[in-house]
């Protein structure tokens, strides 16, 4: 905030100093000043969005711990657009995964699967094999519950192969 204030004061002083210049020159200086202010504000706004998203996300964790999945879902849904705006893909994937889990807990398997797939897609783009395996496993569980056994088997097999490639015995045993 202080940096923005300094930029504004500096800009105003520059404008006052150059009162004898032409109107065209003043307009150019104002444009330059506006651009400088925009550049100074941008990182601060991004930080604020990310911080607010983190608050919603941590609040959702508390609701999940207390098995209050409705409020957890509401907080995670508030965090998602903020993480999307800041391109914090790791945090976004985590939000999607926790949305999948929360919807699963309230037996909304359609939304659960939707968010697990969103998390899976992000984990694939990030190259996070463990995250990919976890999401495949969770999607397989939903297919199992909804009696789509072929798709469940495919997802479980893919998850097991990834766990094997990572030498993750817990993941292999779990499946």
């Amino acid at each position: 905030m202080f940096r923005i204030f300094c930029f504004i004061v500096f800009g105003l002083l520059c404008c006052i100093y150059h009162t004898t210049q032409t109107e065209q020159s003043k307009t150019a200086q104002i444009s330059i000043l506006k651009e400088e202010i925009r550049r100074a504000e941008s990182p601060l706004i991004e930080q604020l969005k990310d911080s607010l998203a983190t608050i919603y996300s941590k609040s959702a964790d508390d609701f999940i711990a207390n098995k209050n999945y409705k409020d957890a879902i509401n907080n995670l849904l508030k965090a998602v657009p903020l993480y999307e705006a800041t391109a914090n893909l790791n945090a976004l994937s985590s939000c999607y995964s926790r949305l999948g889990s929360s919807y699963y807990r309230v037996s909304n398997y359609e939304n659960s699967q939707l968010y697990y797939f969103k998390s899976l897609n992000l984990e694939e783009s990030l190259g996070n094999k463990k995250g990919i395996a976890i999401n495949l496993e969770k999607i397989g569980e939903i297919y199992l519950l909804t009696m789509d056994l072929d798709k469940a088997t495919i997802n479980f097999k893919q998850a097991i192969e990834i766990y094997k490639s990572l030498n993750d015995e817990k993941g292999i045993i779990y499946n």
Side-chain angles (χ1 to χ4, degrees):
M1 277 308 212
F2 181 72
R3 285 181 22 196
I4 294 171
F5 177 75
C6 290
F7 281 118
I8 292 170
V9 170
F10 177 76
L12 291 173
L13 290 173
C14 287
C15 288
I16 292 168
Y17 177 78
H18 296 288
T19 55
T20 58
Q21 294 182 349
T22 66
E23 200 60 38
Q24 186 177 19
S25 177
K26 289 179 187 177
T27 303
Q29 286 180 347
I30 290 172
S31 294
I32 291 169
L33 177 61
K34 285 180 181 178
E35 179 60 25
E36 288 299 318
I37 291 170
R38 187 192 61 73
R39 275 192 237 155
E41 287 178 337
S42 184
L44 292 173
I45 290 171
E46 295 302 309
Q47 287 175 340
L48 290 173
K49 285 180 183 178
D50 200 64
S51 295
L52 182 57
T54 300
I55 290 168
Y56 283 129
S57 182
K58 288 185 185 287
S59 176
D61 289 341
D62 292 339
F63 287 123
I64 290 169
N66 291 310
K67 297 181 175 47
N68 182 347
Y69 301 110
K70 180 183 175 221
D71 287 333
I73 290 167
N74 288 335
N75 276 275
L76 290 166
L77 289 172
K78 290 175 184 175
V80 164
L82 296 168
Y83 281 137
E84 288 173 339
T86 61
N88 188 339
L89 301 183
N90 288 312
L92 183 58
S93 179
S94 176
C95 266
Y96 286 155
S97 181
R98 286 180 292 145
L99 276 164
S101 176
S102 296
Y103 277 119
Y104 181 90
R105 298 288 184 170
V106 296
S107 301
N108 184 334
Y109 302 126
E110 186 177 332
N111 276 338
S112 177
Q113 193 172 49
L114 169 77
Y115 283 103
Y116 279 132
F117 270 115
K118 286 184 175 206
S119 180
L120 173 63
N121 290 333
L122 275 179
E123 295 296 351
E124 287 173 339
S125 72
L126 293 168
N128 181 358
K129 288 187 176 193
K130 183 152 185 161
I132 294 167
I134 290 169
N135 282 294
L136 287 168
E137 184 180 322
K138 298 298 183 183
I139 292 166
E141 289 176 17
I142 295 169
Y143 282 132
L144 191 60
L145 281 170
T146 58
M147 300 308 291
D148 194 338
L149 302 180
D150 291 337
K151 288 183 180 176
T153 302
I154 291 168
N155 278 269
F156 288 138
K157 284 182 178 179
Q158 288 177 336
I160 289 170
E161 289 306 312
I162 293 171
Y163 284 130
K164 283 181 181 177
S165 75
L166 297 172
N167 294 319
D168 186 334
E169 292 180 20
K170 288 181 183 179
I172 296 168
I173 292 170
Y174 182 75
N175 280 298

